[in-house]
mmCIF file of all heavy atoms in Angstrom:
data_model
loop_
_atom_site.group_PDB
_atom_site.id
_atom_site.type_symbol
_atom_site.label_atom_id
_atom_site.label_comp_id
_atom_site.label_asym_id
_atom_site.label_seq_id
_atom_site.Cartn_x
_atom_site.Cartn_y
_atom_site.Cartn_z
ATOM 1 N N ILE A 19 -29.496 -28.551 -1.071
ATOM 2 C CA ILE A 19 -28.540 -27.714 -1.817
ATOM 3 C C ILE A 19 -28.328 -26.369 -1.125
ATOM 4 O O ILE A 19 -27.214 -25.877 -0.956
ATOM 5 C CB ILE A 19 -29.029 -27.499 -3.259
ATOM 6 C CG1 ILE A 19 -28.996 -28.826 -4.017
ATOM 7 C CG2 ILE A 19 -28.173 -26.458 -3.976
ATOM 8 C CD1 ILE A 19 -29.656 -28.754 -5.387
ATOM 9 N N LEU A 20 -29.437 -25.752 -0.689
ATOM 10 C CA LEU A 20 -29.360 -24.461 0.006
ATOM 11 C C LEU A 20 -28.564 -24.580 1.287
ATOM 12 O O LEU A 20 -27.741 -23.729 1.631
ATOM 13 C CB LEU A 20 -30.777 -23.948 0.292
ATOM 14 C CG LEU A 20 -30.897 -22.550 0.886
ATOM 15 C CD1 LEU A 20 -30.286 -21.518 -0.056
ATOM 16 C CD2 LEU A 20 -32.363 -22.234 1.154
ATOM 17 N N SER A 21 -28.797 -25.677 2.014
ATOM 18 C CA SER A 21 -28.095 -25.897 3.272
ATOM 19 C C SER A 21 -26.609 -26.067 3.040
ATOM 20 O O SER A 21 -25.777 -25.499 3.745
ATOM 21 C CB SER A 21 -28.656 -27.122 3.981
ATOM 22 O OG SER A 21 -27.916 -27.384 5.155
ATOM 23 N N MET A 22 -26.247 -26.855 2.037
ATOM 24 C CA MET A 22 -24.847 -27.068 1.726
ATOM 25 C C MET A 22 -24.171 -25.770 1.292
ATOM 26 O O MET A 22 -23.056 -25.451 1.699
ATOM 27 C CB MET A 22 -24.712 -28.110 0.620
ATOM 28 C CG MET A 22 -25.060 -29.529 1.060
ATOM 29 S SD MET A 22 -24.997 -30.670 -0.327
ATOM 30 C CE MET A 22 -23.266 -30.577 -0.723
ATOM 31 N N ALA A 23 -24.857 -25.013 0.474
ATOM 32 C CA ALA A 23 -24.271 -23.759 -0.029
ATOM 33 C C ALA A 23 -24.005 -22.780 1.085
ATOM 34 O O ALA A 23 -23.018 -22.064 1.086
ATOM 35 C CB ALA A 23 -25.202 -23.140 -1.067
ATOM 36 N N THR A 24 -24.899 -22.731 2.062
ATOM 37 C CA THR A 24 -24.759 -21.730 3.120
ATOM 38 C C THR A 24 -23.909 -22.233 4.267
ATOM 39 O O THR A 24 -23.389 -21.433 5.034
ATOM 40 C CB THR A 24 -26.136 -21.334 3.659
ATOM 41 O OG1 THR A 24 -26.805 -22.519 4.087
ATOM 42 C CG2 THR A 24 -26.943 -20.627 2.595
ATOM 43 N N SER A 25 -23.739 -23.521 4.402
ATOM 44 C CA SER A 25 -22.951 -24.022 5.527
ATOM 45 C C SER A 25 -21.502 -24.276 5.146
ATOM 46 O O SER A 25 -20.609 -24.135 5.943
ATOM 47 C CB SER A 25 -23.562 -25.316 6.070
ATOM 48 O OG SER A 25 -23.535 -26.324 5.071
ATOM 49 N N VAL A 26 -21.257 -24.597 3.899
ATOM 50 C CA VAL A 26 -19.890 -24.892 3.490
ATOM 51 C C VAL A 26 -19.140 -23.617 3.129
ATOM 52 O O VAL A 26 -17.955 -23.468 3.395
ATOM 53 C CB VAL A 26 -19.891 -25.866 2.295
ATOM 54 C CG1 VAL A 26 -18.463 -26.101 1.795
ATOM 55 C CG2 VAL A 26 -20.523 -27.178 2.701
ATOM 56 N N PHE A 27 -19.798 -22.634 2.544
ATOM 57 C CA PHE A 27 -19.124 -21.408 2.126
ATOM 58 C C PHE A 27 -19.804 -20.209 2.785
ATOM 59 O O PHE A 27 -20.890 -19.823 2.392
ATOM 60 C CB PHE A 27 -19.164 -21.268 0.603
ATOM 61 C CG PHE A 27 -18.497 -22.415 -0.101
ATOM 62 C CD1 PHE A 27 -19.246 -23.435 -0.665
ATOM 63 C CD2 PHE A 27 -17.120 -22.475 -0.156
ATOM 64 C CE1 PHE A 27 -18.620 -24.487 -1.303
ATOM 65 C CE2 PHE A 27 -16.485 -23.529 -0.795
ATOM 66 C CZ PHE A 27 -17.241 -24.555 -1.366
ATOM 67 N N ALA A 28 -19.148 -19.621 3.814
ATOM 68 C CA ALA A 28 -19.700 -18.478 4.532
ATOM 69 C C ALA A 28 -18.666 -17.354 4.553
ATOM 70 O O ALA A 28 -17.467 -17.608 4.486
ATOM 71 C CB ALA A 28 -20.080 -18.872 5.955
ATOM 72 N N VAL A 29 -19.101 -16.083 4.699
ATOM 73 C CA VAL A 29 -18.209 -14.924 4.696
ATOM 74 C C VAL A 29 -17.682 -14.680 6.105
ATOM 75 O O VAL A 29 -18.451 -14.486 7.032
ATOM 76 C CB VAL A 29 -18.954 -13.671 4.192
ATOM 77 C CG1 VAL A 29 -18.044 -12.451 4.279
ATOM 78 C CG2 VAL A 29 -19.426 -13.880 2.764
ATOM 79 N N ALA A 30 -16.327 -14.710 6.280
ATOM 80 C CA ALA A 30 -15.687 -14.417 7.567
ATOM 81 C C ALA A 30 -14.470 -13.557 7.264
ATOM 82 O O ALA A 30 -13.434 -14.080 6.851
ATOM 83 C CB ALA A 30 -15.283 -15.704 8.274
ATOM 84 N N PRO A 31 -14.532 -12.210 7.432
ATOM 85 C CA PRO A 31 -13.434 -11.338 6.990
ATOM 86 C C PRO A 31 -12.182 -11.485 7.842
ATOM 87 O O PRO A 31 -12.251 -11.718 9.046
ATOM 88 C CB PRO A 31 -14.020 -9.931 7.127
ATOM 89 C CG PRO A 31 -15.028 -10.060 8.211
ATOM 90 C CD PRO A 31 -15.619 -11.443 8.041
ATOM 91 N N THR A 32 -11.037 -11.335 7.197
ATOM 92 C CA THR A 32 -9.780 -11.201 7.908
ATOM 93 C C THR A 32 -9.178 -9.857 7.522
ATOM 94 O O THR A 32 -9.706 -9.170 6.635
ATOM 95 C CB THR A 32 -8.815 -12.342 7.562
ATOM 96 O OG1 THR A 32 -7.668 -12.258 8.412
ATOM 97 C CG2 THR A 32 -8.370 -12.266 6.105
ATOM 98 N N MET A 33 -8.085 -9.468 8.198
ATOM 99 C CA MET A 33 -7.508 -8.146 7.940
ATOM 100 C C MET A 33 -6.146 -8.296 7.280
ATOM 101 O O MET A 33 -5.395 -9.218 7.588
ATOM 102 C CB MET A 33 -7.377 -7.354 9.253
ATOM 103 C CG MET A 33 -6.784 -5.954 9.080
ATOM 104 S SD MET A 33 -6.515 -5.108 10.659
ATOM 105 C CE MET A 33 -8.202 -4.687 11.093
ATOM 106 N N GLU A 34 -5.826 -7.362 6.389
ATOM 107 C CA GLU A 34 -4.499 -7.308 5.800
ATOM 108 C C GLU A 34 -4.052 -5.854 5.712
ATOM 109 O O GLU A 34 -4.867 -4.941 5.646
ATOM 110 C CB GLU A 34 -4.489 -7.946 4.410
ATOM 111 C CG GLU A 34 -5.285 -7.190 3.365
ATOM 112 C CD GLU A 34 -5.173 -7.819 1.981
ATOM 113 O OE1 GLU A 34 -4.600 -8.906 1.890
ATOM 114 O OE2 GLU A 34 -5.668 -7.197 1.012
ATOM 115 N N ILE A 35 -2.726 -5.668 5.760
ATOM 116 C CA ILE A 35 -2.142 -4.337 5.579
ATOM 117 C C ILE A 35 -1.862 -4.159 4.098
ATOM 118 O O ILE A 35 -1.060 -4.885 3.515
ATOM 119 C CB ILE A 35 -0.853 -4.171 6.408
ATOM 120 C CG1 ILE A 35 -1.167 -4.314 7.899
ATOM 121 C CG2 ILE A 35 -0.195 -2.817 6.126
ATOM 122 C CD1 ILE A 35 0.065 -4.353 8.788
ATOM 123 N N VAL A 36 -2.531 -3.208 3.491
ATOM 124 C CA VAL A 36 -2.427 -3.007 2.051
ATOM 125 C C VAL A 36 -1.210 -2.151 1.711
ATOM 126 O O VAL A 36 -0.423 -2.478 0.826
ATOM 127 C CB VAL A 36 -3.708 -2.346 1.501
ATOM 128 C CG1 VAL A 36 -3.586 -2.118 0.001
ATOM 129 C CG2 VAL A 36 -4.923 -3.200 1.819
ATOM 130 N N GLU A 37 -1.064 -1.047 2.406
ATOM 131 C CA GLU A 37 0.073 -0.147 2.184
ATOM 132 C C GLU A 37 0.638 0.264 3.540
ATOM 133 O O GLU A 37 -0.040 0.921 4.323
ATOM 134 C CB GLU A 37 -0.360 1.100 1.401
ATOM 135 C CG GLU A 37 -0.822 0.817 -0.017
ATOM 136 C CD GLU A 37 -1.232 2.094 -0.747
ATOM 137 O OE1 GLU A 37 -0.789 3.184 -0.332
ATOM 138 O OE2 GLU A 37 -2.002 1.990 -1.716
ATOM 139 N N ASP A 38 1.867 -0.166 3.810
ATOM 140 C CA ASP A 38 2.503 0.150 5.085
ATOM 141 C C ASP A 38 3.212 1.503 4.982
ATOM 142 O O ASP A 38 4.417 1.619 5.200
ATOM 143 C CB ASP A 38 3.486 -0.958 5.457
ATOM 144 C CG ASP A 38 3.910 -0.882 6.916
ATOM 145 O OD1 ASP A 38 3.328 -0.060 7.656
ATOM 146 O OD2 ASP A 38 4.816 -1.626 7.308
ATOM 147 N N ASN A 39 2.447 2.526 4.626
ATOM 148 C CA ASN A 39 3.019 3.864 4.421
ATOM 149 C C ASN A 39 3.508 4.470 5.732
ATOM 150 O O ASN A 39 2.900 4.281 6.788
ATOM 151 C CB ASN A 39 1.976 4.799 3.810
ATOM 152 C CG ASN A 39 1.522 4.342 2.450
ATOM 153 O OD1 ASN A 39 2.312 3.819 1.676
ATOM 154 N ND2 ASN A 39 0.241 4.506 2.154
ATOM 155 N N VAL A 40 4.576 5.223 5.657
ATOM 156 C CA VAL A 40 5.056 6.007 6.789
ATOM 157 C C VAL A 40 4.819 7.473 6.475
ATOM 158 O O VAL A 40 5.349 8.004 5.494
ATOM 159 C CB VAL A 40 6.546 5.765 7.065
ATOM 160 C CG1 VAL A 40 7.032 6.675 8.193
ATOM 161 C CG2 VAL A 40 6.801 4.300 7.416
ATOM 162 N N CYS A 41 4.001 8.104 7.306
ATOM 163 C CA CYS A 41 3.760 9.544 7.153
ATOM 164 C C CYS A 41 4.905 10.288 7.835
ATOM 165 O O CYS A 41 5.067 10.201 9.046
ATOM 166 C CB CYS A 41 2.427 9.923 7.792
ATOM 167 S SG CYS A 41 2.138 11.696 7.887
ATOM 168 N N LYS A 42 5.701 10.998 7.076
ATOM 169 C CA LYS A 42 6.837 11.728 7.625
ATOM 170 C C LYS A 42 6.717 13.200 7.290
ATOM 171 O O LYS A 42 6.538 13.567 6.128
ATOM 172 C CB LYS A 42 8.153 11.176 7.083
ATOM 173 C CG LYS A 42 9.394 11.818 7.707
ATOM 174 C CD LYS A 42 10.662 11.145 7.221
ATOM 175 C CE LYS A 42 11.892 11.779 7.856
ATOM 176 N NZ LYS A 42 13.148 11.151 7.393
ATOM 177 N N ILE A 43 6.805 14.036 8.321
ATOM 178 C CA ILE A 43 6.716 15.482 8.145
ATOM 179 C C ILE A 43 7.988 16.114 8.710
ATOM 180 O O ILE A 43 8.314 15.905 9.888
ATOM 181 C CB ILE A 43 5.487 16.068 8.872
ATOM 182 C CG1 ILE A 43 4.194 15.414 8.378
ATOM 183 C CG2 ILE A 43 5.425 17.584 8.691
ATOM 184 C CD1 ILE A 43 2.964 15.836 9.151
ATOM 185 N N ASP A 44 8.715 16.859 7.897
ATOM 186 C CA ASP A 44 9.890 17.591 8.370
ATOM 187 C C ASP A 44 9.428 18.916 8.961
ATOM 188 O O ASP A 44 8.938 19.795 8.247
ATOM 189 C CB ASP A 44 10.866 17.840 7.222
ATOM 190 C CG ASP A 44 11.514 16.551 6.727
ATOM 191 O OD1 ASP A 44 11.769 15.666 7.558
ATOM 192 O OD2 ASP A 44 11.750 16.438 5.512
ATOM 193 N N LEU A 45 9.582 19.054 10.275
ATOM 194 C CA LEU A 45 9.169 20.295 10.938
ATOM 195 C C LEU A 45 10.190 21.406 10.699
ATOM 196 O O LEU A 45 9.838 22.567 10.557
ATOM 197 C CB LEU A 45 8.975 20.043 12.431
ATOM 198 C CG LEU A 45 7.971 18.929 12.784
ATOM 199 C CD1 LEU A 45 7.836 18.798 14.288
ATOM 200 C CD2 LEU A 45 6.620 19.180 12.139
ATOM 201 N N ASN A 46 11.465 21.037 10.717
ATOM 202 C CA ASN A 46 12.555 21.934 10.337
ATOM 203 C C ASN A 46 13.735 21.049 9.947
ATOM 204 O O ASN A 46 13.569 19.840 9.779
ATOM 205 C CB ASN A 46 12.912 22.930 11.463
ATOM 206 C CG ASN A 46 13.206 22.224 12.776
ATOM 207 O OD1 ASN A 46 13.810 21.155 12.803
ATOM 208 N ND2 ASN A 46 12.782 22.822 13.877
ATOM 209 N N ASP A 47 14.916 21.627 9.829
ATOM 210 C CA ASP A 47 16.066 20.845 9.360
ATOM 211 C C ASP A 47 16.472 19.749 10.343
ATOM 212 O O ASP A 47 17.152 18.794 9.946
ATOM 213 C CB ASP A 47 17.273 21.766 9.112
ATOM 214 C CG ASP A 47 17.052 22.692 7.925
ATOM 215 O OD1 ASP A 47 16.180 22.364 7.094
ATOM 216 O OD2 ASP A 47 17.727 23.723 7.843
ATOM 217 N N ALA A 48 16.061 19.882 11.595
ATOM 218 C CA ALA A 48 16.524 18.933 12.612
ATOM 219 C C ALA A 48 15.403 18.165 13.300
ATOM 220 O O ALA A 48 15.680 17.321 14.149
ATOM 221 C CB ALA A 48 17.346 19.676 13.675
ATOM 222 N N SER A 49 14.149 18.428 12.950
ATOM 223 C CA SER A 49 13.030 17.828 13.689
ATOM 224 C C SER A 49 12.032 17.197 12.724
ATOM 225 O O SER A 49 11.711 17.782 11.686
ATOM 226 C CB SER A 49 12.324 18.879 14.551
ATOM 227 O OG SER A 49 13.247 19.540 15.391
ATOM 228 N N THR A 50 11.529 16.026 13.102
ATOM 229 C CA THR A 50 10.596 15.310 12.238
ATOM 230 C C THR A 50 9.432 14.730 13.036
ATOM 231 O O THR A 50 9.537 14.492 14.238
ATOM 232 C CB THR A 50 11.288 14.140 11.508
ATOM 233 O OG1 THR A 50 11.845 13.238 12.487
ATOM 234 C CG2 THR A 50 12.372 14.634 10.587
ATOM 235 N N PHE A 51 8.334 14.511 12.313
ATOM 236 C CA PHE A 51 7.185 13.779 12.841
ATOM 237 C C PHE A 51 6.991 12.536 11.988
ATOM 238 O O PHE A 51 7.164 12.582 10.762
ATOM 239 C CB PHE A 51 5.914 14.636 12.791
ATOM 240 C CG PHE A 51 4.651 13.852 13.030
ATOM 241 C CD1 PHE A 51 4.205 13.607 14.317
ATOM 242 C CD2 PHE A 51 3.918 13.344 11.960
ATOM 243 C CE1 PHE A 51 3.055 12.867 14.544
ATOM 244 C CE2 PHE A 51 2.770 12.618 12.169
ATOM 245 C CZ PHE A 51 2.331 12.374 13.466
ATOM 246 N N GLU A 52 6.623 11.409 12.639
ATOM 247 C CA GLU A 52 6.337 10.178 11.901
ATOM 248 C C GLU A 52 5.068 9.519 12.431
ATOM 249 O O GLU A 52 4.822 9.530 13.646
ATOM 250 C CB GLU A 52 7.489 9.177 12.014
ATOM 251 C CG GLU A 52 8.615 9.410 11.042
ATOM 252 C CD GLU A 52 9.573 8.234 10.983
ATOM 253 O OE1 GLU A 52 9.428 7.287 11.779
ATOM 254 O OE2 GLU A 52 10.470 8.266 10.127
ATOM 255 N N LYS A 53 4.286 8.964 11.499
ATOM 256 C CA LYS A 53 3.117 8.146 11.845
ATOM 257 C C LYS A 53 3.244 6.851 11.055
ATOM 258 O O LYS A 53 3.386 6.864 9.831
ATOM 259 C CB LYS A 53 1.830 8.870 11.478
ATOM 260 C CG LYS A 53 0.559 8.061 11.699
ATOM 261 C CD LYS A 53 -0.665 8.826 11.202
ATOM 262 C CE LYS A 53 -0.610 9.064 9.712
ATOM 263 N NZ LYS A 53 -1.744 9.863 9.212
ATOM 264 N N LYS A 54 3.196 5.720 11.746
ATOM 265 C CA LYS A 54 3.369 4.445 11.054
ATOM 266 C C LYS A 54 2.773 3.308 11.881
ATOM 267 O O LYS A 54 2.525 3.453 13.078
ATOM 268 C CB LYS A 54 4.841 4.168 10.796
ATOM 269 C CG LYS A 54 5.696 4.071 12.066
ATOM 270 C CD LYS A 54 7.166 3.892 11.724
ATOM 271 C CE LYS A 54 8.029 3.851 12.981
ATOM 272 N NZ LYS A 54 9.466 3.678 12.650
ATOM 273 N N ILE A 55 2.557 2.162 11.217
ATOM 274 C CA ILE A 55 2.143 0.944 11.903
ATOM 275 C C ILE A 55 3.386 0.299 12.505
ATOM 276 O O ILE A 55 4.371 0.073 11.810
ATOM 277 C CB ILE A 55 1.448 -0.034 10.931
ATOM 278 C CG1 ILE A 55 0.106 0.548 10.471
ATOM 279 C CG2 ILE A 55 1.232 -1.391 11.602
ATOM 280 C CD1 ILE A 55 -0.614 -0.317 9.452
ATOM 281 N N VAL A 56 3.347 0.009 13.790
ATOM 282 C CA VAL A 56 4.502 -0.597 14.459
ATOM 283 C C VAL A 56 4.228 -2.026 14.906
ATOM 284 O O VAL A 56 5.159 -2.752 15.274
ATOM 285 C CB VAL A 56 4.948 0.248 15.673
ATOM 286 C CG1 VAL A 56 5.508 1.581 15.217
ATOM 287 C CG2 VAL A 56 3.807 0.451 16.665
ATOM 288 N N ALA A 57 2.957 -2.450 14.902
ATOM 289 C CA ALA A 57 2.616 -3.823 15.283
ATOM 290 C C ALA A 57 1.246 -4.150 14.716
ATOM 291 O O ALA A 57 0.463 -3.261 14.364
ATOM 292 C CB ALA A 57 2.631 -3.990 16.802
ATOM 293 N N SER A 58 0.944 -5.456 14.629
ATOM 294 C CA SER A 58 -0.374 -5.868 14.140
ATOM 295 C C SER A 58 -0.725 -7.241 14.689
ATOM 296 O O SER A 58 0.146 -8.064 14.967
ATOM 297 C CB SER A 58 -0.399 -5.892 12.608
ATOM 298 O OG SER A 58 0.528 -6.850 12.113
ATOM 299 N N ASN A 59 -2.022 -7.462 14.856
ATOM 300 C CA ASN A 59 -2.584 -8.773 15.186
ATOM 301 C C ASN A 59 -3.752 -8.966 14.227
ATOM 302 O O ASN A 59 -4.910 -8.719 14.567
ATOM 303 C CB ASN A 59 -3.036 -8.804 16.645
ATOM 304 C CG ASN A 59 -3.489 -10.177 17.087
ATOM 305 O OD1 ASN A 59 -3.801 -11.033 16.258
ATOM 306 N ND2 ASN A 59 -3.521 -10.400 18.397
ATOM 307 N N LEU A 60 -3.419 -9.389 13.008
ATOM 308 C CA LEU A 60 -4.403 -9.401 11.935
ATOM 309 C C LEU A 60 -5.518 -10.405 12.177
ATOM 310 O O LEU A 60 -6.654 -10.197 11.744
ATOM 311 C CB LEU A 60 -3.701 -9.676 10.601
ATOM 312 C CG LEU A 60 -2.631 -8.636 10.208
ATOM 313 C CD1 LEU A 60 -2.003 -9.013 8.885
ATOM 314 C CD2 LEU A 60 -3.220 -7.241 10.153
ATOM 315 N N GLU A 61 -5.216 -11.499 12.868
ATOM 316 C CA GLU A 61 -6.255 -12.487 13.169
ATOM 317 C C GLU A 61 -7.346 -11.892 14.040
ATOM 318 O O GLU A 61 -8.516 -12.273 13.944
ATOM 319 C CB GLU A 61 -5.644 -13.714 13.844
ATOM 320 C CG GLU A 61 -4.749 -14.545 12.932
ATOM 321 C CD GLU A 61 -4.216 -15.775 13.642
ATOM 322 O OE1 GLU A 61 -4.559 -15.954 14.833
ATOM 323 O OE2 GLU A 61 -3.458 -16.543 13.025
ATOM 324 N N ASN A 62 -6.941 -10.964 14.910
ATOM 325 C CA ASN A 62 -7.904 -10.301 15.795
ATOM 326 C C ASN A 62 -8.297 -8.924 15.269
ATOM 327 O O ASN A 62 -8.833 -8.103 16.016
ATOM 328 C CB ASN A 62 -7.330 -10.171 17.207
ATOM 329 C CG ASN A 62 -7.177 -11.520 17.881
ATOM 330 O OD1 ASN A 62 -8.000 -12.416 17.691
ATOM 331 N ND2 ASN A 62 -6.120 -11.676 18.667
ATOM 332 N N HIS A 63 -8.002 -8.674 13.990
ATOM 333 C CA HIS A 63 -8.410 -7.436 13.318
ATOM 334 C C HIS A 63 -7.894 -6.196 14.050
ATOM 335 O O HIS A 63 -8.642 -5.250 14.302
ATOM 336 C CB HIS A 63 -9.940 -7.355 13.197
ATOM 337 C CG HIS A 63 -10.561 -8.592 12.628
ATOM 338 N ND1 HIS A 63 -11.281 -9.490 13.394
ATOM 339 C CD2 HIS A 63 -10.552 -9.101 11.362
ATOM 340 C CE1 HIS A 63 -11.705 -10.483 12.626
ATOM 341 N NE2 HIS A 63 -11.272 -10.277 11.384
ATOM 342 N N GLN A 64 -6.590 -6.180 14.368
ATOM 343 C CA GLN A 64 -6.021 -5.074 15.132
ATOM 344 C C GLN A 64 -4.674 -4.641 14.551
ATOM 345 O O GLN A 64 -3.852 -5.464 14.152
ATOM 346 C CB GLN A 64 -5.821 -5.484 16.595
ATOM 347 C CG GLN A 64 -5.282 -4.373 17.489
ATOM 348 C CD GLN A 64 -5.031 -4.866 18.906
ATOM 349 O OE1 GLN A 64 -3.955 -5.364 19.215
ATOM 350 N NE2 GLN A 64 -6.049 -4.753 19.759
ATOM 351 N N VAL A 65 -4.473 -3.316 14.490
ATOM 352 C CA VAL A 65 -3.170 -2.747 14.141
ATOM 353 C C VAL A 65 -2.804 -1.704 15.200
ATOM 354 O O VAL A 65 -3.679 -1.086 15.805
ATOM 355 C CB VAL A 65 -3.165 -2.089 12.737
ATOM 356 C CG1 VAL A 65 -3.260 -3.143 11.648
ATOM 357 C CG2 VAL A 65 -4.262 -1.047 12.612
#
């Protein structure tokens, strides 16, 4: 039973994007800064 429990169900984390927020800062009326996710490889745990 112990062997089956530990071999059939094991913890292996994957990655997900929970909130794809864009950080936007207006420096003045004509200039802005942005920080955002532009690509992801969730299987390899990378953004």
Side-chain angles (χ1 to χ4, degrees):
I19 293 171
L20 186 60
S21 176
M22 289 176 64
T24 56
S25 63
V26 176
F27 300 101
V29 176
T32 187
M33 180 185 286
E34 67 176 8
I35 298 172
V36 179
E37 295 180 21
D38 195 8
N39 298 324
V40 176
C41 171
K42 185 175 181 181
I43 302 174
D44 292 325
L45 303 182
N46 54 38
D47 292 340
S49 306
T50 58
F51 167 85
E52 277 193 354
K53 176 184 63 183
K54 61 184 178 180
I55 292 177
V56 293
S58 63
N59 186 341
L60 300 180
E61 292 182 0
N62 292 324
H63 310 107
Q64 182 183 88
V65 290

